[in-house]
Amino acid sequence: MKPYGSLLAWIKPNSPDEFVAAFVGEGALPGVYENFAGRKPATQLCSSHNEARQWVHDQAEALDLPIKWVNEGPLV
């Protein structure tokens, strides 16, 4: 079964040389399905913003899903 929808992705700086890249599928948000609490986002600690962005792009490519960049992560 092929995933559907988009990946909601964001990057949060922790310090000048540490960034957290994160994403969650739109279908994994709370309330999408009845009695579904949602899924925590996948995360990766990166040493630059570009590295974080590339990690998200690589994951999206592997899943064959488009990316929707958001300012901050959804509450899950």
Side-chain angles (χ1 to χ4, degrees):
M1 184 171 124
K2 181 183 183 298
Y4 67 93
S6 297
L7 295 182
L8 301 177
W10 60 98
I11 298 171
K12 180 181 174 185
N14 278 347
S15 69
D17 60 348
E18 188 175 86
F19 296 80
V20 176
F23 70 85
V24 66
E26 285 181 303
L29 295 175
V32 172
Y33 303 104
E34 187 175 332
N35 298 321
F36 181 62
R39 180 195 182 285
K40 291 188 179 202
T43 60
Q44 177 74 26
L45 191 59
C46 301
S47 60
S48 72
H49 189 275
N50 286 341
E51 181 184 325
R53 191 170 183 83
Q54 187 60 52
W55 179 77
V56 172
H57 279 282
D58 291 347
Q59 300 307 304
E61 186 176 300
L63 294 168
D64 194 23
L65 291 173
I67 301 167
K68 287 185 184 175
W69 291 99
V70 295
N71 290 331
E72 58 184 61
L75 299 175
V76 278

